[in-house]
Amino acid sequence: MSEKVKKKKLTILDRIEKIGNALPHPATIFLILSVIIVVLSAILSAKGVSVTYEGINRANNNAVEMMTVTVNSLLSKEGVQYLFNSAVTNFTGFAPLGTVLVALLGVGLAEGTGLIGTLLKKLVMSTPKRLVTVVVVLAGVLSSIASDAGYVVLIPLGAIIFLSMGRHPLAGLAAAFSGVSGGFSANVMVGPTDSLLAGLTTEGAKLVNPDYVVGIQANWWFLIASTVLITVLGTIITEKIVEPRLGKYNGDVTVDESEMTISKAEQRGLRFAGIATLLTVLGFVALVAPANGFLRGTEPGIQGILNSPFMNSMVVVIALVFAIAGIAYGCGAKVVKNDKDVMNLMGKSMASMGSYIVLVFFASQFVAYFNYSNLGTIIAVQGADLLKAIGLQGIPLVILFILVVAFINIFMGSASAKWAILAPVFVPMLMNFGFTPEFTQMAYRIGDSTTNLISPLMSYFALIVTFAEKYDKKSGIGTLISTMMPYSIALLIGWTILLIVWYVFNLPLGPGIGIWLPGF
C-alpha cells in the first residue's frame, strides 16, 4: 500500500515536471510573461482597477497613511516610454545579477585554483555519509545571516558535494536550496531580516499602541527551533522523496574517484589558504569590532553590527575571503605563478555565465513590468481584504493568514514590500484578538519563506535553473518546481504545526516576548 502511495506522489511530480519542461526556454517564458503583463496592465487600467488601503509609506519616513494604488498601463504613452527607457536599467539594476557576478569573481577563483575541490575531497573523506544531507541543509539555513550569499555560493556547492559522494547532484542542489530559500527566515542568530521586519511591525503595532516597539530579537527562540525543524524536514524530503525520484545520476559531469586523495602540494595549499583566511577574518574583525570601526554602524550594541556597512557588503566580503584564500592556495599548491594566472581564472569563471546573463535580461524586464503595473500590490491588498472578510478568529485565522501570505509570495517576492502592505492590516487586527505583534510577524515569516522554492518570481529562481542545467541539459523550470514542491509543502505544514505547538503551550517567541498581549 505504501509503495502505491509513494508511486502516486512521484507520478504527480513527474507530471508537473513534464508540463513545466514542455514549456519554452526559461528566457522565452519570461519574454512571454512580460508580454502578458503588458497587455493585462492595459486591460485592467482601462477598467479602472484600483485598491485603497492603510499602509506603511516607506517614502515618507515609514508613516502609516491611506494610499490608493491603480494599475499602471504599459501601453499608455508613459508606459511605452518606460518600456524603452528602462530596459537597460532594469537589467543592470536587477539585484541578483551584480550579486552573482561579484561573488563569482571570488568563488570562481577559489574553484579555478583547486581550493574548493580540495576542500570537498576533505569533506567527503571526513564526514560520515549519513550526515552530509544534514550538513548541507543546515548550512543553507544558517547562510541567511550573510544575506543572499547562500544562493550564489552554497547551492552550487551542495550539488558538487553530492556528486563527489556518488549521489545525484540535483538532490544536493535541492537540499541546499531548501535550506537557503525555504528556511530564509530561520537562524540561530538574529540578522538583517529581523531588523528590517521588526521596524515595519512596529509601525503596524503603533496603530493600536503608539508606544509599542518590536525588537530584533522578537522571534529568536522560535527561529532557533525552526532551524532544527527545517534541517530535519529538509533532510527527510531529500533522502526519502527527492533522491529516490531522481534516481541514479548518469549525466556528463563526473568526479574521478582516483583523484579523491589529497596530495602533498594540495595539503600545502590548504595550509596557505587557512593562514590567509585567518588573517583576512582578523582584518575584518578589526574593521567591525571596535566602536569606531570603519565598517561598523553608528548604532550602539549589536545593532551597530547588524545595521553596518559590513553586513550591507556581505557579498563583497564573501568574494574577498574566497579570492584571498584561493590565491593563497594556488601559491601553496604551485598552480598560481603570477597575476596573469589569477586574472585568467577570474575570466574563465565569468565566461561560464553567458546563458545566465541572457536569462536575467528577460527575467529582469518581467519583474520590472510587474512592479511598474502595481499588480503585485493589488493582489496583496485584495488577498488581505478577503482574509478580513471571512471573519475567522484564533488559530484558524492565523493558519489562513499564513496560507494567504504563502500564496501572495508566489507573485510578490520582496518580504519587506509585502509586509509594508500587510503589517498595518494584520498586526492591529490580531492585536485586537490578543496576539502580540511579534506572533503575527512570525506567522508572516512562515508564509513568506515556504513558497520561495516554487516561485519563478523569486529573484534567484533563474539562477537556480541555470545551476541545474549544468548537470541535466534537459532540466528546466518544470524540473526545479517539481523537485522543490515536496519541500515547500512539508515546510509550510511542518512550520505551521510548530507555531501551533508554540501557541498551545504558550511558549516565549523570544527573550521576554510571549504570544498574548497583557490582559488576554
Side-chain angles (χ1 to χ4, degrees):
M1 183 69 179
S2 62
E3 288 296 322
K4 290 182 179 180
V5 173
K6 184 177 180 181
K7 185 175 181 181
K8 183 178 179 181
K9 288 182 178 178
L10 296 180
T11 300
I12 293 173
L13 296 177
D14 289 338
R15 288 175 179 173
I16 294 173
E17 178 177 8
K18 186 176 181 180
I19 293 172
N21 288 345
L23 298 171
H25 187 280
T28 306
I29 291 175
F30 281 116
L31 175 60
I32 294 171
L33 289 175
S34 298
V35 174
I36 292 174
I37 292 298
V38 169
V39 175
L40 187 60
S41 70
I43 295 173
L44 295 180
S45 178
K47 290 181 175 294
V49 173
S50 66
V51 292
T52 299
Y53 65 99
E54 189 174 40
I56 299 172
N57 188 349
R58 290 185 289 172
N60 188 21
N61 199 27
N62 282 348
V64 177
E65 302 174 350
M66 292 301 299
M67 294 183 285
T68 298
V69 174
T70 60
V71 177
N72 290 328
S73 172
L74 283 157
L75 288 181
S76 64
K77 179 179 179 180
E78 294 78 8
V80 172
Q81 290 177 351
Y82 173 81
L83 294 177
F84 283 88
N85 292 336
S86 68
V88 174
T89 54
N90 291 343
F91 176 53
T92 58
F94 195 56
L97 178 64
T99 300
V100 170
L101 296 183
V102 170
L104 194 61
L105 286 172
V107 175
L109 179 57
E111 182 179 6
T113 60
L115 172 60
I116 291 179
T118 303
L119 287 174
L120 289 175
K121 286 191 287 185
K122 195 172 185 67
L123 175 67
V124 169
M125 292 186 292
S126 61
T127 303
K129 288 190 175 182
R130 67 180 184 276
L131 295 180
V132 170
T133 309
V134 175
V135 171
V136 169
V137 177
L138 178 60
V141 177
L142 298 180
S143 71
S144 65
I145 196 69
S147 190
D148 296 339
Y151 287 102
V152 184
V153 178
L154 190 65
I155 292 176
L157 280 182
I160 296 172
I161 290 171
F162 270 49
L163 181 63
S164 300
M165 293 194 160
R167 300 169 66 178
H168 203 296
L170 292 188
L173 180 146
F177 189 22
S178 71
V180 171
S181 194
F184 191 78
S185 279
N187 214 306
V188 296
M189 298 175 287
V190 294
T193 302
D194 297 274
S195 178
L196 176 64
L197 295 182
L200 296 173
T201 306
T202 296
E203 296 303 322
K206 285 183 176 179
L207 293 173
V208 176
N209 181 353
D211 298 323
Y212 203 103
V213 176
V214 177
I216 61 171
Q217 80 289 355
N219 303 136
W220 198 358
W221 302 155
F222 186 84
L223 293 179
I224 291 174
S226 300
T227 300
V228 177
L229 174 72
I230 292 167
T231 302
V232 171
L233 290 177
T235 300
I236 293 172
I237 296 299
T238 301
E239 297 182 349
K240 301 300 182 182
I241 297 179
V242 172
E243 276 195 284
R245 177 174 176 270
L246 290 172
K248 182 179 176 61
Y249 179 65
N250 297 310
D252 299 331
V253 183
T254 59
V255 175
D256 190 348
E257 293 185 4
S258 65
E259 295 181 359
M260 293 303 290
T261 58
I262 300 178
S263 66
K264 290 184 178 180
E266 290 172 333
Q267 290 175 350
R268 186 167 181 266
L270 286 178
R271 288 196 297 271
F272 276 45
I275 294 171
T277 301
L278 177 61
L279 293 175
T280 303
V281 171
L282 291 175
F284 281 121
V285 169
L287 291 171
V288 177
N292 60 345
F294 287 5
L295 293 181
R296 188 184 181 94
T298 57
E299 299 175 63
I302 189 68
Q303 287 281 31
I305 296 177
L306 293 176
N307 300 322
S308 66
F310 174 75
M311 295 302 296
N312 293 337
S313 58
M314 186 54 68
V315 171
V316 176
V317 171
I318 295 290
L320 280 173
V321 170
F322 272 95
I324 293 171
I327 293 171
Y329 174 87
C331 293
K334 297 183 179 179
V335 295
V336 170
K337 298 179 176 62
N338 52 48
D339 64 299
K340 292 182 180 179
D341 292 337
V342 173
M343 297 305 164
N344 286 336
L345 289 172
M346 284 187 172
K348 186 177 179 180
S349 67
M350 288 293 105
S352 66
M353 297 302 292
S355 60
Y356 171 67
I357 292 174
V358 172
L359 182 58
V360 162
F361 176 79
F362 293 102
S364 64
Q365 305 307 318
F366 168 64
V367 172
Y369 296 169
F370 195 77
N371 291 336
Y372 178 87
S373 68
N374 286 329
L375 290 177
T377 300
I378 289 172
I379 291 172
V381 172
Q382 291 185 339
D385 290 342
L386 174 64
L387 188 54
K388 286 193 296 181
I390 293 176
L392 294 177
Q393 298 183 19
I395 280 297
L397 172 61
V398 173
I399 293 174
L400 187 57
F401 172 58
I402 292 173
L403 293 176
V404 168
V405 172
F407 176 75
I408 293 173
N409 187 56
I410 296 175
F411 303 96
M412 191 176 187
S414 171
S416 59
K418 283 196 303 294
W419 197 222
I421 295 170
L422 299 178
V425 176
F426 290 104
V427 170
M429 185 171 79
L430 291 177
M431 286 178 76
N432 290 330
F433 288 122
F435 292 116
T436 60
E438 292 85 353
F439 180 77
T440 307
Q441 175 180 279
M442 192 60 246
Y444 168 78
R445 297 177 77 164
I446 293 173
D448 177 61
S449 294
T450 49
T451 49
N452 284 337
L453 302 170
I454 56 172
S455 172
L457 279 172
M458 196 271 291
S459 298
Y460 289 92
F461 197 86
L463 175 66
I464 313 305
V465 172
T466 303
F467 287 152
E469 287 177 342
K470 176 181 178 180
Y471 301 99
D472 183 358
K473 303 299 182 185
K474 296 180 180 180
S475 68
I477 289 178
T479 301
L480 187 57
I481 291 179
S482 64
T483 300
M484 301 313 300
M485 185 72 74
Y487 294 101
S488 184
I489 294 172
L491 291 180
L492 182 58
I493 295 174
W495 216 346
T496 301
I497 291 175
L498 181 64
L499 189 67
I500 293 173
V501 170
W502 232 258
Y503 168 88
V504 170
F505 291 98
N506 196 23
L507 300 174
L509 295 165
I513 303 298
I515 293 173
W516 299 101
L517 291 168
F520 284 89

